[in-house]
């Protein structure tokens, strides 16, 4: 019986050692994940995520220091895809997306906002009242920061007839 | 014609005795009519009138936008009070663009032209006139009838099926229409046969409407092409897919169209409207609506101008006697819960119901699924409702699509039989809406990406243009200095 | 608009509910239960009560731990039904702790651990019976002959109390094997059935239920009546009972014809053991059986076949519990592969094209105009 125990223990230890050596020395560097993420990101290098270009954002995502919701132009669709790719949970940020809106009574036509919008969503000219095209706005908030009169605000997107959704039925037995 | 069978289905108590046989009465003209611009599948209609304009009855208010659309006509004479937003007859309670017409009570018809014999017109022209009259499917899907007729003729449809099944409980508008106006319906069928260039027509009526069967048989006796059939009553025999299967044993291919089987299904109301349009030049401006339910003191079948508020109809029928009653547009199996009575009747409204909680029979809380399989037995489309709802609950969008969510027509048979009272069709609606929202988001993400790339490209172009201009300026300066130097020499 | 009050279609419902279904099943099993109690007296009643009470208490405890509403969870009747079915499958004079441990295991490990009602993979009562049989083989195989309640041989109330809760040895001298058990042992000693059966088995008595066994094994005809009533009331479908009994009938007949001395006749098989109760009350448990009709037939056939195989060649004389638990494990597989064909699609799920020759106008009936089919 002692012999059997010794044999199995030695065998186990030897195999375990071999496995750990293999894991150390034969490890395949996984660049594939970073490449895939680069494919998913818009690739415009706008910098709104705060990282140096989309490459920097991809590195941060792979390293786990950035959340999947980091890219405003990608919107909720991109956040979901990135979360699925990285195997991370997306915090259920309930509610409709935030979009910029201009209060026309406060707009002075300074035209600081339009130049900064990454998707050209703000229409207007100097000394003219500006307006935000909701279809193009990604809610990144850059324009809100530069507006001197605070006429630009981020507000939840109002549900239209076409975008209204049936609510999820309540969970049973809870 | 030998009848086949369809899978599943349920037998809800028909409750038609409340309003069956009540002769059609005309609703007294309301003072205001609210006509939404979107009462049909496809693109909304575009207004051609202005606020303050006087219009005659039947005058064009909004024209069709694009091929899959339908025009709107004034249900009565009066003045356009506003073109704005009004509550839609929809569960969301959200507003829709609506034309608000103040009636003057004179019911002056707009100018009409003399009418040729429809059978001397070409089939395309008949279809065009049907479309110009704003006729859409009156059975619930509200698809523009002209488009359906043209496409069906091109597909070589041989049989027109007139759907008089009316399988939803409580609703008796088609029944009464067939009893009272069978002759006009028969003429409408003949006109549609001509537009389709089809050889046969079958009028399918559930066997709980013997008077309608008799009336239609008498009216169609003279036309050897039209057959009137009595169907065993089972919900949802009135669904187009199930009706085709009942009559021929054929199934519409998944993702395909009913016309692939050689049959086209139209509601009796649509046939009636076609007769009115082609023989009397009357556009679709009114329809029969059943007002019924345990909370309605005097259930009736009313002829109602499009745009009348549900409140007007209910008031005529004695109001709503129970505070806790649920207001529905349509039947109880597939009807829309209404946010309140201040919503307009549209072209597809076949019933306004006020149901007491007893009639609805809903448990206060759903309980867990016990996998009894009754929903699977009841589903006419052969799906697995319990599995679909499980995936909807778990937000597994790929899984639910793989199980055939797109095949589901939300008939409600599954939830009707569920002993745990699980709101299955609401899970499916939630899943469909979430998938649609996902698609919209992806489209927006693609669009914003394009905009960002275009912006980048524009900057680069501007940079290049600036650089080129600067280079040209430098090049333009050189010859001058050379000349000066030469001069200085 | 308050989305909490938004109720979608349909706005009409069938009158059935889960508590109603459970009540119907309990009502259907009541006659057989009462008969069994009459046959086996006070100890049987004590065991039944203990099993059911412990089951309900465990259910309430688990619901409380999980933070779920206790009242609605208890009132849906599933724990009560599990307790009753388990008690019906135990030896009638078993000690109280057999019932208690079984009920606790059934509810906690058999049901609540998986997530409560509707989530369990195995039939809780059968899972518990299997556990008890494997862990306490002596107590679980101590059968006895019936002693009518009003006869002198049946224990009084106090004696019954002692049998169930005390260490009474009254069971000595009244024990006896079931026919299946007896036949098994004798066949193992190479006796033939014509030697074994006379004196121990009479078809008539077996049908009426005058045999040893668990509470639910005795009055097969009452169980059958209850099952037929459930079928009529549409609480269960016919696919599983017919599949199970049919498979048993076919296999038993086949082998009996092959060798009447080694293989018992189908009548004995159908009337003995827990087969009848299994076919109508246990295998038909909706949570653990397939959802499609063909799937249910396959499930029933599998159960019936396994029962016969275990009874004839397996290590135990009775196989209903094992068969049901094994087929429960196969249910997800059956559900995955056996599905109804969707409208407009082929069996493999692709869109189903309209047959080319079918696009003909249908022949017109004579102009009768009225019912072409009634």
């Amino acid at each position: 019986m002692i012999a059997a125990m010794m044999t199995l223990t030695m065998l186990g230890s030897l195999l375990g050692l071999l496995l750990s050596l293999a894991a150390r020395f034969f490890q395949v560097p996984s660049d594939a994940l970073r490449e895939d993420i680069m494919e998913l990101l818009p690739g415009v290098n706008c910098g709104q995520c705060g990282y140096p270009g989309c490459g920097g954002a991809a590195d941060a995502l792979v390293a786990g220091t950035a959340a999947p919701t980091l890219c405003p132009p990608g919107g909720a669709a991109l956040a979901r895809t990135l979360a699925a790719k990285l195997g991370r949970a997306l915090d259920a940020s309930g509610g409709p997306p935030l979009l910029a809106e201009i209060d026309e009574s406060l707009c002075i036509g300074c035209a600081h906002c339009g130049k900064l919008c990454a998707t050209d969503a703000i229409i207007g000219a100097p000394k003219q009242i500006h307006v935000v095209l909701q279809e193009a706005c990604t809610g990144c908030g850059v324009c809100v920061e530069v507006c001197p009169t605070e006429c630009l605000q981020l507000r939840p997107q109002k549900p239209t007839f076409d975008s209204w959704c049936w609510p999820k039925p309540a969970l049973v037995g809870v | 014609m030998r009848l086949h069978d369809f899978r599943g289905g349920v037998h809800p108590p028909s409750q038609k005795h409340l309003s069956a046989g009540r002769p059609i009465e005309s609703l007294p003209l309301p003072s205001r009519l609210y006509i939404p611009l979107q009462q049909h599948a496809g693109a909304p209609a575009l207004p051609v009138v202005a606020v303050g304009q006087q219009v005659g009855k039947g005058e064009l208010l909004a024209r069709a936008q694009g091929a899959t659309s339908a025009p709107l006509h004034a249900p009565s004479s009066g003045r356009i009070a506003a073109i704005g937003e009004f509550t839609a007859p929809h569960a969301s309670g959200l507003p829709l663009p609506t034309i608000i017409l103040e009636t003057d009570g004179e019911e002056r018809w707009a100018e009409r032209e003399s009418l040729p014999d429809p059978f001397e017109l070409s089939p395309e022209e008949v279809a065009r006139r049907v479309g110009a009259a704003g006729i859409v499917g009156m059975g619930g899907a509200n698809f523009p009838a002209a488009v359906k007729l043209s496409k069906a003729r091109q597909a070589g449809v041989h049989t027109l099926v007139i759907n008089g099944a009316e399988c939803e409980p409580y609703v008796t508008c088609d029944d009464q229409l067939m009893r009272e106006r069978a002759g006009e319906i028969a003429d409408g069928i003949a006109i549609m046969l001509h537009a389709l260039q089809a050889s046969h027509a079958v009028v399918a009526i559930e066997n709980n409407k013997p008077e309608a069967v008799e009336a239609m048989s008498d009216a169609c006796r003279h036309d050897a092409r039209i057959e009137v059939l009595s169907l065993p009553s089972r919900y949802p025999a009135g669904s187009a897919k199930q009706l085709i299967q009942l009559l021929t044993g054929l199934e519409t291919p998944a993702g395909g169209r009913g016309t692939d089987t050689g049959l086209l299904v139209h509601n009796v109301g649509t046939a009636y409207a076609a007769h009115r349009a082609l023989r009397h030049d009357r556009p679709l401006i009114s329809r029969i609506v059943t007002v019924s339910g345990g909370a309605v003191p005097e259930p009736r079948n009313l002829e109602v101008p499009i745009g009348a508020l549900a409140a007007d109809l209910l008031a005529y029928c004695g109001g709503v006697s129970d505070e806790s009653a649920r207001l529905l547009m349509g039947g109880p199996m597939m009807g829309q819960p209404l946010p309140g009575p201040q919503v307009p009747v549209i072209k597809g409204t076949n019933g306004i119901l006020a149901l007491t909680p007893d009639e609805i029979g809903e448990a206060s809380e759903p309980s867990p699924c016990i996998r009894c399989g009754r929903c699977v037995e009841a589903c006419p489309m052969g799906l697995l409702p319990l599995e679909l709802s499980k995936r909807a609950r778990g937000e597994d969008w790929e899984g639910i699509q793989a199980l055939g969510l797109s095949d589901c027509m939300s008939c409600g048979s599954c939830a009707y039989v569920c002993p745990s009272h699980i709101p299955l069709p609401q899970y499916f609606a939630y899943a469909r809406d979430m998938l649609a929202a996902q698609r919209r988001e992806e489209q927006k993400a693609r669009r914003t990406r394009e905009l960002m790339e275009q912006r980048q490209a524009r900057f680069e172009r501007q940079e290049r243009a600036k650089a080129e201009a600067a280079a040209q300026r430098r090049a333009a300066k050189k010859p001058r200095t050379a000349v000066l130097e030469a001069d200085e020499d | 608009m308050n989305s909490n009050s938004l109720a979608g279609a349909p706005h009409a419902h069938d009158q059935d509910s889960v508590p109603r279904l459970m009540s119907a099943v309990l009502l259907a099993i009541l006659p057989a239960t009462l008969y069994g109690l009459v046959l086996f007296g006070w100890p049987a009643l004590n065991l039944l009560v203990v099993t059911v009470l412990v089951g309900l208490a465990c259910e309430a405890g688990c619901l409380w731990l999980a933070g779920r509403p206790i009242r609605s969870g208890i009132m849906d009747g599933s724990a009560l039904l599990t307790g009753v079915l388990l008690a019906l499958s135990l030896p009638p004079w078993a000690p109280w702790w057999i019932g208690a441990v079984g009920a606790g295991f059934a509810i906690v490990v058999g049901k609540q651990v998986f997530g409560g009602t509707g989530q369990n993979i195995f039939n809780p009562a059968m899972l518990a019976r299997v556990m008890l049989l494997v862990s306490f083989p002596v107590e679980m195989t101590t059968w006895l002959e019936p002693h009518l309640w009003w006869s002198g041989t049946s224990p009084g109330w106090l004696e019954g109390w002692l049998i169930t809760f005390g260490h009474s040895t009254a069971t000595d001298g009244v024990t006896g094997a079931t026919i299946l058990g007896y036949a098994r042992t004798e066949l193992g000693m190479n006796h033939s059935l014509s030697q074994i059966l006379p004196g121990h088995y009479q078809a008539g008595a077996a049908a009426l239920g005058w045999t040893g066994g668990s509470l639910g094994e005795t009055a097969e005809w009452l169980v059958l009546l209850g099952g037929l009533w459930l079928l009529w009331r549409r609480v269960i479908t016919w696919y599983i009972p017919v599949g199970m009994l049919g498979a048993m009938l076919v296999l038993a007949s086949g082998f009996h014809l092959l060798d009447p001395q080694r293989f018992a006749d189908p009548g004995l098989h159908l009337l003995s053991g827990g087969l009848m109760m299994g076919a109508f009350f246990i295998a038909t448990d909706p949570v653990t059986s397939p959802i499609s009709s063909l799937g249910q037939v396959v499930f029933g056939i599998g159960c019936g076949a396994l029962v016969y195989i275990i009874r004839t060649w397996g290590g135990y004389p009775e196989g209903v519990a094992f068969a049901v638990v094994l087929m429960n494990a196969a249910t997800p597989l059956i559900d995955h592969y056996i599905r109804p064909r969707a409208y407009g699609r082929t069996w493999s799920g692709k869109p189903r094209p309209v047959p080319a020759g079918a696009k003909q106008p249908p022949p017109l009936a004579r102009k009768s105009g009225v019912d072409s089919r009634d």
Side-chain angles (χ1 to χ4, degrees):
Chain A
M1 174 147 98
I2 304 289
M5 281 167 55
M6 293 291 295
T7 316
L8 282 176
T9 311
M10 272 176 45
L11 199 59
S13 316
L14 184 65
L15 289 172
L17 186 67
L18 282 175
L19 274 174
S20 45
L21 287 174
R24 177 99 182 272
F25 293 110
F26 294 133
Q27 187 182 44
V28 176
S30 56
D31 255 350
L33 186 62
R34 189 184 180 278
E35 301 297 320
D36 289 340
I37 293 189
M38 283 295 292
E39 289 280 301
L40 293 172
L41 292 173
V44 199
N45 295 330
C46 64
Q48 288 176 53
C49 53
Y51 293 97
C54 296
D59 290 330
L61 282 168
V62 171
T65 52
T69 49
L70 80 171
C71 179
L78 181 64
R80 247 199 317 274
T81 324
L82 285 175
K85 191 95 198 156
L86 296 164
R88 257 184 262 163
L90 203 55
D91 71 281
S93 50
L98 296 176
L99 295 180
E101 263 179 47
I102 291 182
D103 184 348
E104 299 187 348
S105 57
L106 297 173
C107 178
I108 55 170
C110 65
H112 288 165
C113 52
K115 288 189 280 256
L116 293 168
C117 179
T119 54
D120 291 333
I122 302 186
I123 297 187
K127 299 289 200 306
Q128 311 291 321
I129 295 183
H130 285 54
V131 75
V132 176
L133 286 175
Q134 300 249 302
E135 312 86 76
C137 175
T138 60
C140 65
V142 169
C143 57
V144 176
E145 280 158 31
V146 298
C147 177
T149 59
E150 295 188 358
C151 69
L152 263 171
Q153 297 292 336
L154 282 177
R155 295 219 179 80
Q157 190 177 22
K158 284 191 259 307
T160 62
F161 195 78
D162 292 322
S163 67
W164 183 82
C165 294
W166 271 93
K168 189 174 184 181
L171 288 175
V172 298
V174 174
Chain B
M1 189 174 197
R2 190 176 67 89
L3 284 179
H4 299 74
D5 201 4
F6 68 87
R7 197 201 130 84
V10 290
H11 291 99
S14 87
Q15 302 282 40
K16 296 194 191 250
H17 61 275
L18 293 172
S19 59
R22 299 239 184 203
I24 299 172
E25 295 171 50
S26 288
L27 181 75
L29 188 66
S31 54
R32 281 185 155 213
L33 294 172
Y34 301 80
I35 303 123
L37 291 173
Q38 173 111 48
Q39 299 186 29
H40 48 265
L46 295 174
V48 297
V49 292
V51 177
Q53 186 175 335
Q54 292 284 342
V55 292
K57 185 165 174 172
E59 190 171 326
L60 184 71
L61 290 180
R63 62 179 172 81
Q65 191 189 164
T68 307
S69 188
L72 292 167
H73 301 80
S76 187
S77 57
R79 191 185 73 91
I80 304 290
I83 303 179
E85 300 219 313
F86 192 73
T87 325
H90 187 262
S92 62
L94 288 170
L96 268 182
T98 306
I99 295 179
I100 303 175
L101 175 65
E102 244 168 41
T103 57
D104 55 15
E106 288 169 32
E107 304 258 295
R108 266 175 303 109
W109 278 96
E111 283 262 342
R112 272 145 53 229
E113 15 170 280
S114 64
L115 288 174
D117 180 359
F119 299 107
E120 296 189 1
L121 297 169
S122 70
E124 294 85 2
E125 177 60 18
V126 174
R128 193 198 65 77
R129 284 175 183 244
V130 165
I135 297 178
V136 300
M138 315 265 288
N142 310 327
F143 198 82
V147 179
K148 239 171 121 165
L149 286 171
S150 316
K151 288 227 157 85
R153 196 191 68 248
Q154 284 154 13
V157 156
H158 54 72
T159 302
L160 171 67
V161 177
I162 295 295
N163 190 351
E166 202 166 51
C167 50
E168 282 261 21
Y170 294 96
V171 182
T172 52
C173 57
D174 288 346
D175 181 13
Q176 207 55 37
L177 185 69
M178 286 189 285
R179 289 195 207 191
E180 293 186 18
R181 305 185 189 178
E184 289 97 318
I185 299 173
D187 186 51
I189 297 174
I191 293 172
M192 287 169 96
L193 278 176
H194 178 65
L196 282 172
Q197 295 287 288
S199 51
H200 292 65
V202 175
V203 183
I205 306 172
E206 274 194 347
N207 62 12
N208 54 14
K209 295 183 256 293
E211 299 89 347
V213 173
E214 204 182 317
M216 287 303 296
S217 304
D218 285 339
C220 298
R221 205 178 292 280
H222 66 277
D223 194 335
R225 301 170 301 170
I226 308 178
E227 189 182 344
V228 177
L229 274 182
S230 178
L231 304 173
S233 56
R234 183 159 111 240
Y235 179 85
S239 148
K241 289 186 171 169
Q242 273 58 44
L243 192 56
I244 291 177
Q245 196 175 20
L246 257 182
L247 294 174
T248 60
L250 296 173
E251 294 175 21
T252 308
R257 274 194 288 266
T259 48
D260 293 345
T261 57
L263 287 88
L264 178 69
V265 181
H266 262 300
N267 182 267
V268 275
T270 318
Y272 178 73
H275 158 83
R276 301 276 285 174
L278 271 292
R279 293 285 194 192
H280 304 281
D281 198 21
R282 298 268 162 101
L284 181 57
I285 52 173
S286 69
R287 67 157 296 148
I288 320 292
V289 179
T290 299
V291 183
S292 186
V296 172
E298 298 154 33
R300 287 190 165 107
N301 300 304
L302 297 175
E303 187 155 21
V304 165
I306 305 292
L309 291 180
D312 299 329
L313 279 76
L314 288 165
Y316 186 73
C317 296
V320 176
S321 59
D322 187 345
E323 278 295 306
S324 57
R326 193 180 291 176
L327 279 180
L328 298 177
M329 184 173 86
M333 297 300 286
M334 288 180 74
Q336 279 280 343
L338 294 175
Q342 303 288 332
V343 291
V345 162
I346 55 176
K347 291 176 180 175
T349 306
N350 53 2
I352 298 282
L353 303 180
L355 298 182
T356 61
D358 281 335
E359 286 176 298
I360 299 174
E362 207 169 45
S364 50
E365 284 285 323
S367 52
C369 169
I370 56 168
R371 300 185 64 87
C372 64
R374 287 178 179 202
C375 55
V376 179
E377 243 183 284
C379 178
M381 299 299 286
L383 301 171
L384 302 171
L386 68 156
E387 295 290 340
L388 287 170
S389 74
K390 200 160 78 163
R391 279 157 184 74
R393 201 161 42 240
E395 316 219 347
D396 173 10
W397 306 130
E398 276 105 38
I400 202 173
Q401 282 179 302
L403 276 179
L405 177 68
S406 52
D407 290 346
C408 169
M409 50 176 184
S410 286
C411 66
S413 303
C414 50
Y416 181 80
V417 290
C418 178
S420 301
H421 292 256
I422 298 176
L424 294 159
Q426 201 174 331
Y427 276 108
F428 308 152
Y430 167 70
R432 279 196 210 99
D433 287 344
M434 288 290 115
L435 282 168
Q438 253 187 17
R439 277 194 292 273
R440 274 196 302 272
E441 276 168 12
E442 277 160 23
Q443 224 176 0
K444 178 159 182 183
R446 266 199 303 275
R447 187 82 191 101
T448 50
R449 211 160 147 161
E450 271 171 37
L451 285 171
M452 287 173 67
E453 282 164 10
Q454 283 167 5
R455 187 167 179 260
Q456 286 287 83
R458 193 178 73 232
F459 279 175
E460 281 161 21
R461 267 202 315 275
Q462 282 171 347
E463 291 294 322
R464 265 203 311 275
K466 266 197 260 182
E468 269 175 29
Q472 271 182 357
R473 275 199 299 277
R474 274 199 296 276
K477 277 195 211 152
K478 280 205 182 106
R480 286 251 304 273
T481 49
V483 165
L484 281 171
E485 282 167 3
D487 274 354
E488 284 169 2
D489 257 2
Chain C
M1 170 134 187
N2 182 8
S3 69
N4 289 337
S5 60
L6 186 62
H11 310 277
H13 292 87
D14 202 6
Q15 291 310 307
D16 260 340
S17 64
V18 175
R20 273 186 170 216
L21 292 180
M22 297 291 152
S23 314
V25 178
L26 283 166
L27 198 60
I29 199 75
L30 190 63
T33 313
L34 290 175
Y35 189 91
L37 290 176
V38 161
L39 281 186
F40 293 107
W42 283 109
L45 181 62
N46 296 340
L47 183 66
L48 178 65
V49 168
V50 165
T51 312
V52 166
L53 285 180
V54 170
L56 287 172
C58 287
E59 175 99 333
C62 287
L63 287 171
W64 175 76
L65 270 177
R68 291 181 175 182
I70 295 180
R71 198 189 141 80
S72 52
I74 299 280
M75 295 300 272
D76 77 357
S78 55
L80 180 59
L81 187 60
T82 303
V84 169
L85 288 175
L86 176 63
L88 288 177
S89 64
L90 297 174
W93 284 19
W96 65 275
W97 50 268
I98 288 278
V101 167
F105 188 83
I107 297 296
V108 176
V109 179
K111 198 173 96 159
Q112 291 295 341
V113 151
F114 287 100
T117 306
Q119 308 276 43
N120 44 300
I121 304 180
F122 299 105
N123 187 313
M126 291 301 102
L127 192 68
R129 188 182 196 280
V130 165
M131 182 275 290
L132 289 172
L133 189 56
V134 168
S135 314
F136 311 109
V138 177
E139 285 84 355
M140 286 296 287
T141 51
T142 308
W143 305 104
L144 69 155
E145 294 296 317
H147 297 272
L148 274 184
W149 209 330
W150 48 77
S151 75
T153 50
S154 179
W157 182 83
L158 191 61
E159 267 185 325
W161 191 261
L162 283 174
I163 290 174
T164 310
F165 296 99
H167 294 282
S168 167
T169 49
T171 45
D172 292 345
V174 299
T175 51
T178 60
I179 180 57
L180 286 172
Y182 180 70
R184 198 58 197 288
T185 336
E186 294 294 309
L187 281 170
M189 299 195 288
N190 282 325
H191 297 164
S192 68
L193 280 174
S194 49
Q195 296 173 304
I196 301 168
L197 291 180
H200 288 269
Y201 171 71
Q202 285 163 331
L208 280 177
W210 190 262
T211 57
S214 63
L215 281 177
E217 284 184 25
T218 52
E220 308 288 3
W221 63 283
L222 282 175
V223 173
L224 179 63
L225 276 179
L228 291 174
W229 180 74
L230 283 181
L231 275 175
W232 175 79
R233 176 79 170 64
R234 290 178 192 268
V235 174
I236 59 175
T237 52
W238 58 267
Y239 308 107
I240 296 180
V242 166
M244 195 159 166
L245 296 174
M248 173 58 93
L249 189 66
V250 165
L251 280 173
S253 315
F255 280 99
H256 181 67
L257 282 173
L258 267 177
D259 188 351
Q261 291 307 316
R262 266 193 66 213
F263 299 107
D265 64 277
L268 187 148
H269 273 291
L270 282 176
L271 292 174
S272 312
L275 181 70
M276 205 58 87
M277 199 167 82
F280 287 100
F281 291 89
I282 295 183
T284 50
D285 173 37
V287 180
T288 51
S289 55
I291 51 182
S292 58
S293 4
L294 182 59
Q296 287 174 0
V297 171
V298 170
F299 180 84
I301 291 176
C303 282
L306 279 173
V307 172
Y308 185 79
I309 291 171
I310 295 174
R311 278 183 182 179
T312 313
W313 295 288
Y316 286 89
E318 171 58 292
V320 173
F322 290 109
V324 168
V325 168
L326 281 171
M327 288 311 291
N328 286 156
T331 296
L333 194 68
I334 295 175
D335 270 339
H336 181 77
Y337 284 109
I338 300 183
R339 289 183 192 169
R341 184 181 66 80
Y343 178 102
R345 290 188 189 268
T346 60
W347 282 103
S348 58
K350 307 238 177 345
R352 187 183 194 234
V354 177
K359 288 186 71 166
Q360 296 297 322
L364 276 174
R366 285 185 323 244
K367 283 299 282 183
S368 55
V370 209
D371 261 305
S372 294
R373 162 177 148 152
D374 217 335

